[in-house]
Amino acid sequence: MSRFRQRAVLTGCVLAAVLATAGLFVTDYGIDPDLWLTGLALGFLALLAVLDPWLHRRRAAGLATDDNLDAAANALARALHAQWNEECRARGLHDNLLDLHWSALEGEPGHSDAIVRAFQRSPRMVFLGDPGAGKSTTAMLLTIGLLDRHPDGPVPFLLPLSTWNPNAEDVRTWMTRRLYEDHPALRNTELYGSYAADLLVEQRRVFPVLDGLDQIPRERRADALDRINRAFPGSQPLVLTSRTEEFAEAGTPIAGAHVVQLQPLDHEEIAGYLRSVSDPVTAARWEPIFLHLRDEPDGRLAEALSTPLALWLAGVVYGYGEPSELLDRGRFPDRRAVEDHLVDLLVNGAFGDRSVAHQARASQVWARDKATRWLAFLADEMHERGVHELAWWELRRSVGSTWLALLGAISLGTIGGFGVGWLMAYASTPKLAPITGLAAGLAVAVAALYASGHRVPKPRLGVWRSLVVVSGVLGTAAGLVFGALYGLSAGLVVGLGIGVAVALRFALGSSAELSHPSSPKWTMARDRVAVWTGSLVLAVVFGAAAGLVFGPTQSGMVGLGLACGLMLGFTLSVLHLRWWWFTVARIWLALRGKLPWELMVFLEDARKLGVLRQAGAAYQFRHALVQDRLAGARPAEVRSDA
């Protein structure tokens, strides 16, 4: 639904709750509570009917029109522009950006400050380079530059190729899926029509910026390139990055592409960058290194610092340290040794005691040894699964599927069963409370077991997308049951409360517009909002029903109804949400000492400290070298704080 309808539904839900409370407890004017609640329920349904987008449709499953797609493309461009600009600032690229340069197999050489003009001359480009040469950064800068000029052409969509399995899905299907995952507001049929993301890809209004061909397994790369060529023929814009050797091994060229090779930095560029990011005292410490690079421009240290990644690492980890240790040929005999040392300093220096000189930027919240081991665990898990994206909803894969299902089912069954049994112990015959609670707990546990192995179903087309129909049917069903058990007033309260809960779920679960850039915190917040909305609404519903049945003067019963409703609402709200299964996995891994309790806070801190970076709704390690180093040097276990 549109933002106007979304806010109108939220306002209507709040008014319904306030008016219901007033009708129940303000009886000095001779108002009949049953008549008041009946009129309020009918009025609420009428309001939903006026605001229901489905009832005002021209056709239930109408395809997005050209105007819809224009609006979707413009909104997507704004969201992506905000997302990548924020990530660019987080990486410090706005203040200290190297001017990368490349050579071309055919055509003129170029520089990163003119990358948009180079793309406009040749809208199919392949960027090759060594590990850490700046391929991903170049792709991001090109994406931002093109988004600055979006009205001139299709929207660039930057994607890591590590998330694509060419054997499982077509590249356009994968792009469409990622659009819906990172920008769920594209499912807003009122603003953008049906199948908006599918049509954006099909009509070439979005083109791919594909980062990291080398992250696809070797045996699949040739097939991946063949599929990319067929999906995006020679006349369509396309950007691809890859390590040089891996692209050559694949043996399949990108048709019509301008292939460029990112060049290593020379000693003058290295010295200029390190001076620009250092204060005068730190810059003086670098002078022995500069002299060495001038004397041995082809030596092992010059080779190690010739990539933007290694140069950035050196500037960060030696911001307050002594870089002359890099001159020790015994400790650092080759490029690999220098890179591993810089990665180790980055991770170790990001956490720990700031009293140490080169750790002035370190976090004092997380102990260094534990933080290193937590990151090593995540890197090892990602390495075993062959992925380079750390998506919070995929944490469940780090726990065995059987264990995860049992833990989630037992937890939800206990919460739901206890809530029902506790309420029935006072609302009905106490002897039946254990049986009722056990039955409810088993039902919730079975539902949780089923939900643990199934993805969240896509929204259905047709009448079940109707706000008023779903709210009316579920509210009426619940109201009839409670009305038969506890009287008309209780049934009306429960029915109206269920209707309000469903309407809130529709409104809060709908991404009205593509106005917010995608991020891990934002996608998780959407799930949490849905959980606590359903929980609080059912808490109020059961509290009001308990007050009606036992009398509003019995505050203990009202409180009992609130508590039991909160527990039952929680169990019903989280069954099919990714947040619940992430929480189960996070708690289990934290109890075993594998991860911290506040995992998302830790990951965001690691991002701010340069160990991680953000790619849409997921995190990545700052570079594959960092992930590989942590996965290869797996530290010992950490004991739990529990």
XYZ file of all heavy atoms in Angstrom, residues 315-362:
373
model
N 48.075 2.056 6.024
C 47.749 3.367 6.576
C 46.928 3.280 7.845
O 47.078 4.098 8.755
N 46.066 2.272 7.934
C 45.207 2.119 9.115
C 45.981 1.545 10.289
O 45.972 2.085 11.398
C 43.992 1.231 8.775
C 43.247 0.840 10.044
C 43.058 1.949 7.826
N 46.662 0.416 10.074
C 47.257 -0.300 11.211
C 48.507 0.403 11.748
O 48.870 0.204 12.910
C 47.604 -1.752 10.818
C 46.358 -2.479 10.363
C 48.669 -1.808 9.731
N 49.159 1.228 10.915
C 50.332 1.951 11.400
C 50.034 3.435 11.608
O 50.948 4.259 11.587
C 51.493 1.795 10.417
C 52.102 0.414 10.441
C 52.052 -0.406 9.322
C 52.721 -0.081 11.580
C 52.604 -1.678 9.327
C 53.272 -1.347 11.606
C 53.209 -2.143 10.479
O 53.758 -3.401 10.501
N 48.750 3.735 11.832
C 48.396 5.119 12.084
C 49.094 5.687 13.296
O 49.397 6.884 13.350
N 49.359 4.816 14.295
C 50.067 5.263 15.498
C 51.195 4.301 15.850
O 51.645 4.262 16.985
C 49.092 5.364 16.680
C 48.083 6.475 16.532
C 46.887 6.260 15.838
C 48.327 7.730 17.056
C 45.961 7.281 15.684
C 47.404 8.754 16.903
C 46.223 8.516 16.219
O 45.307 9.534 16.070
N 51.638 3.501 14.884
C 52.665 2.508 15.157
C 53.961 2.797 14.428
O 54.180 3.889 13.905
N 54.832 1.796 14.396
C 56.158 1.927 13.798
C 56.246 1.023 12.574
O 56.446 -0.188 12.689
C 57.234 1.535 14.817
C 58.658 1.719 14.311
C 58.890 3.126 13.768
O 58.793 4.092 14.564
O 59.144 3.251 12.555
N 56.078 1.581 11.371
C 56.055 0.746 10.165
C 57.416 0.216 9.744
O 57.498 -0.641 8.856
C 55.500 1.697 9.103
C 55.879 3.058 9.574
C 55.838 2.999 11.070
N 58.502 0.688 10.345
C 59.833 0.252 9.905
C 60.056 -1.238 10.125
O 60.999 -1.812 9.560
C 60.916 1.052 10.631
O 60.817 0.884 12.028
N 59.201 -1.894 10.916
C 59.344 -3.340 11.098
C 59.144 -4.096 9.787
O 59.601 -5.234 9.631
C 58.349 -3.846 12.141
C 56.896 -3.702 11.747
C 55.956 -4.281 12.796
O 56.438 -4.937 13.733
O 54.726 -4.087 12.658
N 58.463 -3.472 8.825
C 58.254 -4.123 7.534
C 59.555 -4.304 6.766
O 59.603 -5.076 5.794
C 57.267 -3.307 6.690
C 55.838 -3.193 7.228
C 55.019 -2.257 6.346
C 55.182 -4.567 7.302
N 60.622 -3.620 7.170
C 61.909 -3.756 6.491
C 62.636 -5.039 6.876
O 63.649 -5.385 6.253
C 62.795 -2.550 6.820
C 62.266 -1.183 6.365
C 63.162 -0.073 6.883
C 62.159 -1.130 4.851
N 62.132 -5.747 7.870
C 62.760 -6.986 8.337
C 62.511 -8.093 7.317
O 61.407 -8.642 7.230
C 62.196 -7.366 9.697
C 62.942 -8.531 10.337
O 63.658 -9.252 9.610
O 62.795 -8.723 11.551
N 63.525 -8.446 6.548
C 63.370 -9.465 5.513
C 63.170 -10.856 6.110
O 62.600 -11.740 5.457
C 64.589 -9.464 4.594
C 64.779 -8.171 3.826
C 66.018 -8.243 2.938
N 66.273 -6.968 2.290
C 65.731 -6.607 1.131
N 64.917 -7.428 0.498
N 66.012 -5.427 0.601
N 63.659 -11.065 7.324
C 63.468 -12.373 7.944
C 62.012 -12.636 8.292
O 61.491 -13.728 8.064
N 61.362 -11.632 8.851
C 59.946 -11.794 9.221
C 59.040 -11.721 8.004
O 57.995 -12.375 7.960
C 59.543 -10.707 10.226
C 60.143 -10.856 11.607
C 59.675 -9.710 12.498
N 58.224 -9.688 12.631
C 57.532 -8.667 13.165
N 58.192 -7.581 13.569
N 56.222 -8.727 13.279
N 59.412 -10.894 7.030
C 58.546 -10.665 5.878
C 59.336 -10.904 4.589
O 59.772 -9.967 3.923
C 57.997 -9.236 5.914
C 57.417 -8.853 7.247
C 58.057 -7.918 8.055
C 56.247 -9.435 7.707
C 57.534 -7.561 9.282
C 55.722 -9.087 8.934
C 56.360 -8.154 9.733
N 59.515 -12.178 4.250
C 60.355 -12.478 3.082
C 59.670 -12.240 1.744
O 60.354 -12.130 0.724
C 60.678 -13.965 3.257
C 59.501 -14.505 4.024
C 59.073 -13.393 4.938
N 58.339 -12.181 1.734
C 57.646 -12.037 0.452
C 56.354 -11.258 0.640
O 55.995 -10.853 1.760
C 57.348 -13.408 -0.175
C 56.615 -14.347 0.779
O 55.922 -13.848 1.695
O 56.731 -15.575 0.620
N 55.649 -11.070 -0.460
C 54.411 -10.287 -0.460
C 53.355 -10.909 0.440
O 52.670 -10.197 1.178
C 53.900 -10.181 -1.897
C 52.529 -9.559 -2.030
C 52.134 -9.463 -3.486
N 50.801 -8.905 -3.647
C 50.267 -8.594 -4.824
N 50.957 -8.791 -5.940
N 49.047 -8.090 -4.892
N 53.222 -12.231 0.391
C 52.199 -12.908 1.181
C 52.402 -12.676 2.674
O 51.446 -12.435 3.417
C 52.221 -14.407 0.865
C 51.236 -15.244 1.689
C 49.800 -14.882 1.389
N 48.869 -15.642 2.195
C 48.407 -16.850 1.851
N 48.811 -17.407 0.708
N 47.565 -17.479 2.626
N 53.639 -12.717 3.123
C 53.923 -12.502 4.544
C 53.537 -11.093 4.972
O 52.991 -10.886 6.071
C 55.395 -12.768 4.827
N 53.815 -10.108 4.124
C 53.441 -8.731 4.457
C 51.928 -8.585 4.519
O 51.384 -7.980 5.461
C 54.037 -7.758 3.417
C 53.548 -6.329 3.680
C 55.557 -7.798 3.454
N 51.214 -9.139 3.528
C 49.755 -9.029 3.516
C 49.136 -9.716 4.725
O 48.215 -9.163 5.358
C 49.204 -9.635 2.218
C 49.502 -8.805 0.990
C 49.020 -9.471 -0.284
O 48.774 -10.705 -0.258
O 48.883 -8.768 -1.307
N 49.619 -10.911 5.069
C 49.083 -11.616 6.241
C 49.331 -10.812 7.515
O 48.461 -10.739 8.403
C 49.727 -12.995 6.362
C 49.220 -13.967 5.306
O 48.200 -13.650 4.651
O 49.841 -15.034 5.135
N 50.493 -10.209 7.618
C 50.813 -9.405 8.799
C 49.891 -8.192 8.903
O 49.391 -7.871 9.995
C 52.271 -8.954 8.726
C 52.688 -8.066 9.852
N 52.778 -8.496 11.162
C 53.032 -6.740 9.869
C 53.160 -7.489 11.934
N 53.327 -6.418 11.176
N 49.618 -7.535 7.794
C 48.732 -6.368 7.805
C 47.311 -6.763 8.173
O 46.633 -6.047 8.925
C 48.761 -5.677 6.442
C 50.087 -5.029 6.031
C 49.985 -4.452 4.628
C 50.483 -3.936 7.027
N 46.844 -7.899 7.660
C 45.499 -8.370 8.015
C 45.433 -8.697 9.500
O 44.453 -8.358 10.184
C 45.117 -9.593 7.161
C 43.832 -10.233 7.690
C 44.936 -9.184 5.702
N 46.451 -9.371 10.020
C 46.469 -9.697 11.452
C 46.433 -8.429 12.303
O 45.721 -8.361 13.319
C 47.709 -10.517 11.794
C 47.664 -11.913 11.188
O 46.566 -12.353 10.807
O 48.729 -12.548 11.078
N 47.199 -7.428 11.905
C 47.202 -6.175 12.657
C 45.851 -5.477 12.577
O 45.398 -4.863 13.553
C 48.292 -5.243 12.127
C 49.740 -5.583 12.484
C 50.679 -4.529 11.906
C 49.926 -5.677 13.990
N 45.195 -5.554 11.423
C 43.878 -4.935 11.293
C 42.894 -5.553 12.270
O 42.189 -4.842 12.995
C 43.360 -5.099 9.864
C 41.912 -4.649 9.640
C 41.805 -3.134 9.719
C 41.382 -5.163 8.302
N 42.833 -6.877 12.309
C 41.864 -7.566 13.168
C 42.233 -7.395 14.631
O 41.393 -7.050 15.471
C 41.786 -9.053 12.791
C 40.842 -9.793 13.741
C 41.313 -9.213 11.353
N 43.497 -7.631 14.963
C 43.912 -7.513 16.362
C 43.860 -6.072 16.848
O 43.533 -5.806 18.010
C 45.333 -8.056 16.532
C 45.408 -9.550 16.295
O 44.434 -10.266 16.514
N 46.548 -10.029 15.830
N 44.190 -5.136 15.968
C 44.200 -3.738 16.372
C 42.826 -3.118 16.462
O 42.659 -2.049 17.056
N 41.814 -3.775 15.867
C 40.464 -3.224 15.922
C 39.813 -3.430 17.277
O 38.853 -2.740 17.622
C 39.595 -3.870 14.839
N 40.341 -4.371 18.058
C 39.745 -4.682 19.358
C 40.865 -4.757 20.391
O 41.936 -5.291 20.125
C 39.009 -6.027 19.315
C 38.001 -6.121 18.209
C 38.340 -6.683 16.993
C 36.721 -5.627 18.374
C 37.424 -6.764 15.967
C 35.792 -5.704 17.354
C 36.146 -6.271 16.142
N 40.603 -4.217 21.564
C 41.589 -4.334 22.623
C 41.825 -3.039 23.357
O 40.978 -2.151 23.411
N 42.999 -2.906 23.901
C 43.358 -1.801 24.784
C 43.896 -0.635 23.963
O 44.876 -0.767 23.238
C 44.419 -2.274 25.779
C 44.739 -1.216 26.827
O 44.122 -0.136 26.774
O 45.587 -1.489 27.677
N 43.277 0.529 24.089
C 43.718 1.700 23.341
C 45.029 2.280 23.864
O 45.581 3.185 23.259
C 42.640 2.789 23.382
C 41.360 2.381 22.676
C 40.437 3.547 22.523
N 39.179 3.153 21.909
C 38.227 3.997 21.553
N 38.394 5.283 21.741
N 37.114 3.566 21.008
N 45.483 1.780 24.994
C 46.747 2.301 25.509
C 47.932 1.880 24.642
O 48.976 2.505 24.660
C 46.973 1.797 26.940
O 47.073 0.377 26.966
N 47.747 0.794 23.861
C 48.800 0.380 22.941
C 48.843 1.369 21.792
O 47.814 1.770 21.252
C 48.533 -1.049 22.427
C 49.660 -1.488 21.484
C 48.437 -2.014 23.608
N 50.031 1.741 21.374
C 50.176 2.856 20.445
C 49.406 2.668 19.159
O 48.619 3.510 18.759
C 51.673 3.059 20.133
N 49.632 1.537 18.466
C 49.025 1.396 17.150
C 47.569 0.964 17.228
O 46.964 0.659 16.214
C 49.829 0.409 16.298
C 49.706 -1.029 16.740
N 50.481 -1.551 17.734
C 48.903 -2.032 16.316
C 50.173 -2.830 17.909
N 49.219 -3.143 17.064
N 46.994 0.915 18.442
C 45.600 0.527 18.592
C 44.754 1.688 19.080
O 43.771 1.510 19.787
C 45.479 -0.653 19.560
C 46.115 -1.930 19.012
C 46.118 -3.033 20.037
O 45.789 -2.806 21.188
N 46.505 -4.212 19.625
N 45.109 2.891 18.717
C 44.362 4.056 19.180
C 42.940 4.070 18.662
O 42.066 4.705 19.246
C 45.089 5.328 18.746
N 42.655 3.361 17.564
C 41.308 3.329 17.012
C 40.541 2.092 17.470
O 39.470 1.803 16.955
C 41.383 3.324 15.482
C 42.214 2.191 14.921
C 42.397 2.311 13.415
N 41.148 2.175 12.726
C 40.577 1.013 12.412
N 41.171 -0.116 12.787
N 39.455 0.970 11.756
N 41.100 1.318 18.419
C 40.507 0.042 18.784
C 39.244 0.226 19.613
O 39.048 1.229 20.291
C 41.517 -0.801 19.560
